[in-house]
Every structure is written in structure tokens, then in C-alpha cells.
């Protein structure tokens, strides 16, 4: 049967390519070197289409052949395509012009293989072989052995035969409509259409006797539609092709089919799978994708110098599930292995994966949630352990600070204690007199009380440094208060080492939420380090400045600057690392602990060198109240 069909979805092309990948690779690996024997250039393949580029049949087959050739040769092939347009220009004069044109066009680029898509293209290249491709191998596809025998093809012209058996399409229709009484066969007025009608009369001569058979031909498209609208309900309709109607109007067969099927009052069947989606219930056909792959295989063997022989491309039944539903036809009546398109999946088929997926997701989520809960508990335990270790480190650091300041604290404590003793002795002496002055005694007692409070405050601050706790004491307080407290503790040590200490505090409250003792420890760590850094500086130049201020709208900033030797630039990024120290007797934990404390309360700490010499340490903390 001659080669022609309307366009359809490329799903079959993709499936066919996947199915033939293994064969394709084998052909290429075996034939690649032989194909390369075309010395000095890539092999040339001419794809010869019988009609114009709009015709789906040759376009689908040609595209699949092209893709397979490119893939099998890794692109090492020159591909040419020609469209003879013989459906609209069947005249001999046009054929002669095309032959002369192509002979001249390819005079310097003679093809090594010509792939003829369909009977008309095969006849054309065989008749004009010497002029266009005298040394080329010719392979073809798209028609059967009976048609080939009528062409009297040379022995070296080899094809992929396909039988478009309209009797098998009627077989499918009968299986679906066993009680049908009428048979209508539709064909157009083009030469190709008439060839189809002639074949149908021959192929259906026996089977059509079981029906009241009518051939609808030689009509205009509107007449086809009118007749289709009046088909009896118990009719089977076979739509062949309409390339042209009786008025000479040209069509793509699929478009003509869609026009007729839209008004038809009975189910329509056709011999091309490209009719699926255009209104046919189904049919029997060789797919054009498989034709393209098969003829490309012959071309590859020819390029590789292998012997090639004719092959048969198998047929398949196909059906459209939507049309089955439209006409109330049973899917179970279809022949085995029918390719069913547009089938609505069952509830399980449609949502089974989703249900399984949902169950899997829920189960997975359950596992994840369980894991997260376990991890959360572990994290809380780890955080508690970390906080405990931090508190222990802070306490150790506080004890070390208290030890380092012990001499200064003792000296500062001796002052009020000594004053108390002196005042007490003076009071005793006055009382031993004959007329003690009670006003003086009262003043002495006031001095003793003030000195006692002063000593008590010193001891209270020392107890704060030495107190060990198992939890953070969260409080909201003014950062300036902690600065004042730290200055009181540092006063004696700074005086001992002749360091002038001053504070530049913000004029407003700077509320933060943290542990007072912890922030005090940060300030003491930074300040004592600053005091130690100034031991080599001249006495007059030893200055320690504590400064507090707002940092933006949501943070407070504390800076502690000195006039010491500064920090080497290559050490600025490592001074907060644990065990890093520049002191001969230092532990290297003070600054590391300071950073841990500041970060615990959502802050950040860093160090820089001052422009005028010395270092400055800064840390920021979130404001407890937005400004």
C-alpha cells in the first residue's frame, strides 16, 4: 500500500527510539569504521519526501530516520532533504523539472545513500538515479510488496516493507461492532486517494459482503459531512484519505477526517495511527516512527558496506479510548496488545502512586519528627551541659580574676578596716576623758559606719566574683551600672599600677538582658588585660577608658581602650581563640570566655588597634527595649 498519513503525537517516536537503542549502538559500533571509508568527507544521505513538508506521514518517518542516523554516527553524516510535492503537482512536467533541478543541485555533492519515503519518491529516484545519485544505494519504506512488484525495482534497491491492510482495520471494527449492518468507505479525489479506494475494493471484496456496503467518493468536503451526519447508527465507517475533494480543494487527510468525524453519526475507523485524536475509534497500521527507524537501519548498513535485504515492518492495532466512550464501545472487545491512547486511568492507577507517596511521606515525616524530638532532647541536654561548662569556666575565670586582684582588694579593704580601728581607738580615748565631747563621738561613729559599709561593699563585690552558680541569673539592668561596679573593683589595681581609669557613659539608660556577674566578668577580663598591656608605657600615658553608647537603634556598645602596645595585625583574628595568650603566666582563656559570654547573650565581640596607639575591645548586645 502506498505511503501516506496525517500527523499525530510523537509519543511512539520516543518509545521506538528507546526500544531500538541497543540495536542502534550495535550497528554503529560495527559499521562506524566502514562508514568512515568515504575518504576525505562525511557520508551523504538524501531523504526524499514524496509530498510537501506538511504531510505528517513522511515528516514523522523522515524525522525519526534523521535522528537515528545522527545518533548512530555521532553526527558524522551530511543529511539532505528534498520535498517533491507530488500530491499538488503530479504532472510529468513538474517531475522532469524536479529531476533536472536535483541533478544540477547535487552534481558536486552526490549522495552515498538515498532514502525514499513512499512509493512516489521511490519511483522518482529509481527513474532519475543516473542523473541525481548514480553511485548511491537506494533504500525505501512506506509501501508493500505488491506495490513494489509493480515498480519493477532494480535488485539493489532495498526496502522496509509495510502493509497498510484495510481488512485488519475492518476486523477491529467488527470486534467492537459485531451487530453492524452497514459499511461505508470514504476516499477523496486525488490520485493517491483513488489508489487507496482501488486497494480497498480488492482487500474488502470478501469481508464487505457481510454488510450493506457503500463507497463514498467523488464528493466535495461539505457533501462528505452531510452524508456522514446521516449514517445509520448500526454503521461501520472506514476513512481512507482525502488529499483533495471533487472541487480540487487540497487537504491534509487528518484535517479532512476531523471535519467529517465532527458531524458523523456512526463510529469511524482508519488505517493510520496518526488519525488518533482526530475522531477515529481505531484501526490497524504500521507506525511511521517504526518505518523511519527501520529504513534508517538499512541506510546505516549500506553506509557500513554490509549486505542489505528487504525487511518487514510489523503492524499494530490502535484505538482512542475517548472515542470508545463516545460511541459506547467496550474496551474489552479490542484485540490483544492494542495500543490504547487517551485512556482514563482507574482511581488506583490515577492516584495509587499519590496514595503510596502520601503514606510514605507521612511515615517518613513521623520518623523525622521522632528523630527531631530525640535530637531536640539531646540538643537541650547538650545545651544544658554546655551552659554548665560555661558557668564553670566563668567561675574559674572569676576566681582567677579575684586571685589576680587579691593584693589590690586586700589593700583597698585594709583602708576602711584601718580607719575603723583608728576611729574606734580615738573614741575610746575620748570616752576615758572627764568630759567626753558627744558631738565628736557621734562623728566618729558615723565615720565607723561609713567605713564599715565601704568594707562590706568590697567584700560583697568579692563574693560576687567567687560565687558559683548552676544556672544563668537572667536580669534586665542598665549596662552603665555594671560599668560602675567593675570600676569599683578595678580601682585599687589601677591605682597600684598607676593607670588612670575613666568612664564615658551614655546619658541614657542602656537596658540589656543578661547575667550581671557575667557581663561584669567580661569587663574585668578586658580591663585587666588592658592594664597589663600598659606596664611598659610611661606612667603619664597609662590611660584606660570605658565607654558605653547606643549602637544603631536596637543594640548597645561597650568599648574598653588602652594606651598600651596594641595587638599585632596578624593576631587580631586569633586573640579570642581558646588557650591563645601573650602573657608568660596566662591561661589563654580570658578572652575566649569573654567571647562565649557575649555570644550567649546574643552579642558580638571584636578587637582593633587605636589610631594613636594601644588597643580597643568592643562588644555589642541587644537592647532589652527597642528605642
Amino acid at each position: 500500500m502506498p505511503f501516506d498519513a496525517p500527523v499525530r503525537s510523537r509519543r511512539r517516536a520516543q518509545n521506538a527510539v528507546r526500544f531500538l537503542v541497543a540495536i542502534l549502538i550495535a550497528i554503529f559500533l560495527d559499521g562506524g569504521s566502514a562508514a568512515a571509508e568515504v575518504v576525505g568527507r562525511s557520508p551523504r544521505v538524501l531523504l526524499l519526501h514524496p509530498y510537501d513538508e506538511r504531510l505528517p506521514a513522511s515528516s514523522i518517518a523522515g524525522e525519526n530516520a534523521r535522528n537515528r542516523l545522527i545518533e548512530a554516527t555521532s553526527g558524522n553524516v551530511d543529511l539532505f532533504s528534498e520535498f517533491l510535492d507530488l500530491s499538488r503537482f503530479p504532472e510529468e512536467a513538474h517531475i522532469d523539472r524536479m529531476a533536472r533541478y536535483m541533478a544540477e543541485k547535487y552534481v558536486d555533492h552526490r549522495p552515498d545513500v538515498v532514502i525514499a519515503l513512499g512509493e512516489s519518491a521511490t519511483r522518482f529516484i529509481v527513474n532519475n538515479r543516473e542523473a541525481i545519485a548514480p553511485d548511491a544505494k537506494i533504500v525505501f519504506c512506506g509501501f508493500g510488496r505488491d506495490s513494489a512488484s509493480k515498480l519493477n525495482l532494480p535488485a539493489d534497491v532495498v526496502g522496509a516493507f509495510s502493509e497498510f491492510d484495510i481488512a485488519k482495520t475492518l476486523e477491529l471494527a467488527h470486534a467492537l461492532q459485531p451487530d453492524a449492518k452497514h459499511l461505508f468507505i470514504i476516499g477523496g479525489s486525488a490520485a493517491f486517494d483513488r489508489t487507496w479506494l482501488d486497494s480497498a475494493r480488492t482487500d474488502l471484496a470478501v469481508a464487505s459482503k457481510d454488510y450493506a456496503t457503500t463507497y463514498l467518493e467523488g464528493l466535495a468536503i461539505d457533501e462528505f459531512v452531510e452524508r456522514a451526519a446521516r449514517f445509520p447508527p448500526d454503521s461501520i465507517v472506514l476513512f481512507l484519505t482525502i488529499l483533495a475533494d471533487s472541487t480540487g480543494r487540497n487537504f491534509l487527510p487528518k484535517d479532512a477526517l476531523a471535519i467529517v468525524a465532527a458531524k458523523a453519526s456512526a463510529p469511524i475507523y482508519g488505517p493510520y495511527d496518526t488519525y488518533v485524536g482526530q475522531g477515529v475509534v481505531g484501526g490497524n497500521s504500521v507506525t511511521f516512527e517504526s518505518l523511519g527507524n527501520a529504513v534508517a537501519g538499512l541506510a546505516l548498513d549500506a553506509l557500513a558496506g554490509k549486505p542489505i535485504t528487504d525487511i518487514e515492518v510489523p503492524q499494530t492495532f490502535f484505538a482512542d479510548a475517548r472515542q470508545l466512550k463516545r460511541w459506547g464501545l467496550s474496551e474489552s472487545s479490542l484485540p490483544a496488545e492494542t495500543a490504547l491512547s487517551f485512556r482514563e486511568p482507574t482511581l488506583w492507577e490515577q492516584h495509587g502512586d499519590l496514595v503510596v507517596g502520601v503514606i510514605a511521606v507521612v511515615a517518613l515525616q513521623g520518623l523525622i519528627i521522632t528523630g527531631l524530638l530525640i535530637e531536640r532532647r539531646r540538643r537541650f541536654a547538650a545545651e544544658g551541659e554546655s551552659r554548665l561548662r560555661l558557668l564553670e569556666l566563668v567561675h574559674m575565670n572569676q576566681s582567677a580574676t579575684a586571685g589576680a586582684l587579691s593584693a589590690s582588694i586586700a589593700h583597698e579593704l585594709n583602708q576602711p578596716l584601718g580607719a575603723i580601728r583608728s576611729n574606734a581607738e580615738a573614741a575610746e580615748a575620748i570616752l576615758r576623758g572627764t568630759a567626753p565631747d558627744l558631738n565628736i563621738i557621734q562623728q566618729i561613729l558615723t565615720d565607723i559606719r561609713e567605713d564599715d559599709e565601704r568594707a562590706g561593699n568590697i567584700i560583697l563585690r568579692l563574693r560576687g566574683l567567687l560565687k558559683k552558680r548552676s544556672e544563668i541569673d537572667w536580669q534586665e539592668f542598665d549596662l552603665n551600672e555594671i560599668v560602675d561596679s567593675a570600676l569599683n573593683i578595678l580601682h585599687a589595681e589601677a591605682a597600684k599600677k598607676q593607670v588612670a581609669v575613666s568612664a564615658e557613659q551614655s546619658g541614657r539608660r542602656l537596658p540589656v538582658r543578661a547575667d550581671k556577674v557575667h557581663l561584669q566578668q567580661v569587663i574585668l577580663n578586658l580591663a585587666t588585660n588592658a592594664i597589663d598591656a600598659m606596664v611598659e608605657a610611661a606612667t603619664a600615658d597609662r590611660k584606660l577608658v570605658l565607654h558605653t553608647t547606643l549602637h544603631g537603634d536596637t543594640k548597645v556598645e561597650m568599648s574598653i581602650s588602652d594606651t598600651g602596645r596594641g595587638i599585632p595585625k596578624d593576631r587580631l583574628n586569633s586573640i579570642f581563640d581558646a588557650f591563645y595568650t601573650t602573657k608568660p603566666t596566662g591561661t589563654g582563656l580570658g578572652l575566649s570566655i569573654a567571647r562565649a559570654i557575649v555570644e550567649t547573650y546574643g552579642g558580638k565581640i571584636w578587637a582593633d588597634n587605636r589610631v594613636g596607639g594601644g588597643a580597643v575591645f568592643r562588644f555589642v548586645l541587644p537592647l532589652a527595649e527597642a528605642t
Side-chain angles (χ1 to χ4, degrees):
M1 179 62 61
F3 175 69
D4 178 66
V7 85
R8 64 162 300 183
S9 169
R10 298 287 176 103
R11 292 190 313 275
R12 295 184 185 275
Q14 297 168 350
N15 294 335
V17 170
R18 295 190 191 101
F19 179 76
L20 292 168
V21 162
I23 299 174
L24 177 100
I25 293 173
I27 292 173
F28 176 54
L29 291 178
D30 187 48
S33 60
E37 292 175 1
V38 180
V39 179
R41 62 173 175 82
S42 299
R44 300 178 186 136
V45 177
L46 171 61
L47 289 165
L48 199 57
H49 296 253
Y51 307 117
D52 62 35
E53 70 280 2
R54 298 174 303 136
L55 195 70
S58 62
S59 295
I60 294 172
E63 188 65 19
N64 277 271
R66 173 184 291 272
N67 291 339
R68 183 176 180 187
L69 288 167
I70 291 173
E71 185 176 355
T73 62
S74 298
N76 184 33
V77 61
D78 281 341
L79 293 171
F80 305 91
S81 295
E82 296 291 343
F83 296 87
L84 300 177
D85 206 3
L86 298 179
S87 64
R88 293 187 295 179
F89 302 96
E91 301 84 7
E92 288 296 328
H94 169 72
I95 295 173
D96 291 342
R97 282 193 297 270
M98 286 296 296
R100 291 194 302 272
Y101 160 73
M102 291 176 59
E104 184 174 348
K105 178 177 180 179
Y106 291 100
V107 67
D108 295 323
H109 299 81
R110 298 298 188 191
D112 300 300
V113 172
V114 177
I115 296 178
L117 302 172
E119 182 179 349
S120 299
T122 304
R123 182 186 298 109
F124 174 86
I125 191 61
V126 168
N127 292 341
N128 297 282
R129 183 178 192 174
E130 291 302 318
I132 300 172
D135 299 320
K137 288 283 188 179
I138 297 175
V139 295
F140 63 86
C141 67
F143 55 96
R145 292 184 181 275
D146 289 343
S147 298
S149 64
K150 297 175 183 177
L151 294 178
N152 295 317
L153 299 175
D156 62 342
V157 175
V158 176
F161 287 117
S162 55
E163 301 294 340
F164 291 84
D165 191 348
I166 194 63
K168 288 186 175 295
T169 296
L170 181 57
E171 176 185 328
L172 171 71
H174 177 73
L176 293 171
Q177 295 177 255
D179 298 326
K181 305 299 183 184
H182 298 85
L183 173 62
F184 294 90
I185 299 98
I186 297 176
S189 300
F192 182 84
D193 302 330
R194 292 194 297 271
T195 301
W196 243 124
L197 287 164
D198 291 342
S199 297
R201 284 187 173 89
T202 301
D203 296 340
L204 299 177
V206 176
S208 64
K209 292 180 180 179
D210 296 330
Y211 304 92
T213 303
T214 304
Y215 282 84
L216 297 178
E217 54 184 315
L219 302 177
I221 191 67
D222 293 339
E223 294 174 311
F224 282 119
V225 172
E226 182 184 353
R227 291 293 301 273
R230 295 186 285 108
F231 289 147
D234 58 349
S235 298
I236 291 173
V237 183
L238 302 182
F239 186 97
L240 303 177
T241 60
I242 298 178
L243 281 166
D245 68 2
S246 62
T247 67
R249 181 180 173 185
N250 293 314
F251 294 91
L252 291 178
K254 71 178 186 67
D255 294 338
L257 167 63
I259 294 171
V260 174
K263 300 295 183 180
S265 57
I268 299 180
Y269 302 82
Y272 299 119
D273 66 338
T274 50
Y275 284 176
V276 172
Q278 305 301 322
V280 296
V281 172
N284 181 274
S285 178
V286 174
T287 68
F288 300 117
E289 293 89 341
S290 61
L291 282 176
N293 282 299
V295 77
L298 292 176
L300 287 168
D301 284 345
L303 288 173
K306 295 180 179 179
I308 56 176
T309 58
D310 296 332
I311 59 174
E312 295 283 346
V313 182
Q315 297 168 293
T316 183
F317 287 103
F318 59 87
D320 185 331
R322 297 173 305 180
Q323 295 298 321
L324 290 172
K325 184 177 181 180
R326 173 188 174 186
W327 300 109
L329 304 177
S330 174
E331 182 180 324
S332 62
S333 299
L334 292 171
E337 299 183 359
T338 298
L340 186 60
S341 301
F342 305 112
R343 177 176 176 269
E344 293 183 5
T346 63
L347 183 62
W348 176 253
E349 290 173 336
Q350 188 173 7
H351 302 293
D353 291 343
L354 179 61
V355 171
V356 173
V358 168
I359 293 173
V361 168
V362 170
L364 181 60
Q365 286 179 335
L367 290 174
I368 292 174
I369 291 171
T370 302
L372 289 174
L373 290 173
I374 294 173
E375 184 61 26
R376 182 171 178 265
R377 178 175 295 180
R378 290 177 179 174
R379 181 168 59 83
F380 283 166
E383 288 177 351
E385 184 73 14
S386 176
R387 283 194 298 270
L388 183 61
R389 295 291 176 264
L390 176 62
L391 292 172
E392 291 177 352
L393 280 174
V394 171
H395 176 69
M396 291 172 58
N397 189 245
Q398 289 170 340
S399 300
T401 301
L405 299 176
S406 59
S408 298
I409 292 173
H411 175 75
E412 186 177 8
L413 185 59
N414 282 334
Q415 290 182 359
L417 292 177
I420 289 172
R421 180 172 182 175
S422 297
N423 282 325
E425 290 173 349
E428 287 178 351
I430 292 172
L431 289 173
R432 284 195 297 266
T434 56
D437 189 339
L438 296 180
N439 289 332
I440 294 176
I441 295 297
Q442 184 178 3
Q443 182 63 45
I444 289 173
L445 291 176
T446 299
D447 291 343
I448 289 174
R449 185 176 67 250
E450 290 176 352
D451 287 335
D452 178 73
E453 289 178 356
R454 181 182 171 192
N457 287 333
I458 292 172
I459 293 171
L460 185 64
R461 290 195 295 269
L462 182 61
R463 287 181 62 190
L465 281 175
L466 296 176
K467 183 180 179 180
K468 183 177 183 180
R469 289 166 299 165
S470 60
E471 292 184 358
I472 293 175
D473 183 13
W474 290 91
Q475 305 168 62
E476 185 177 316
F477 54 88
D478 185 357
L479 182 62
N480 293 318
E481 295 176 6
I482 302 303
V483 173
D484 292 338
S485 174
L487 285 174
N488 287 329
I489 295 175
L490 288 169
H491 176 75
E493 182 70 9
K496 175 183 175 182
K497 295 186 178 180
Q498 298 180 302
V499 175
V501 181
S502 62
E504 298 175 359
Q505 294 173 296
S506 171
R508 57 152 291 173
R509 287 184 75 252
L510 300 176
V512 295
R513 179 170 168 74
D515 189 309
K516 282 185 177 181
V517 176
H518 288 176
L519 287 192
Q520 176 182 273
Q521 185 60 34
V522 172
I523 296 172
L524 289 176
N525 280 357
L526 299 178
T528 54
N529 282 346
I531 291 172
D532 292 341
M534 291 186 283
V535 294
E536 297 177 359
T539 301
D541 296 331
R542 298 176 186 176
K543 296 179 181 179
L544 178 66
V545 181
L546 283 69
H547 180 70
T548 60
T549 186
L550 277 175
H551 183 88
D553 295 331
T554 59
K555 296 180 180 179
V556 299
E557 179 179 310
M558 170 86 196
S559 66
I560 299 174
S561 59
D562 63 61
T563 56
R565 57 183 176 272
I567 306 169
K569 289 184 178 180
D570 60 341
R571 306 291 178 85
L572 283 172
N573 294 327
S574 57
I575 58 173
F576 292 100
D577 293 344
F579 306 112
Y580 176 83
T581 182
T582 58
K583 300 178 183 179
T585 59
T587 63
L589 293 175
L591 291 179
S592 176
I593 291 171
R595 180 176 66 179
I597 292 172
V598 170
E599 290 178 351
T600 295
Y601 300 119
K604 180 181 178 182
I605 188 170
W606 70 96
D608 286 308
N609 285 311
R610 295 175 63 246
V611 175
V616 56
F617 285 79
R618 293 185 175 88
F619 66 83
V620 294
L621 292 169
L623 265 175
E625 302 171 354
T627 58

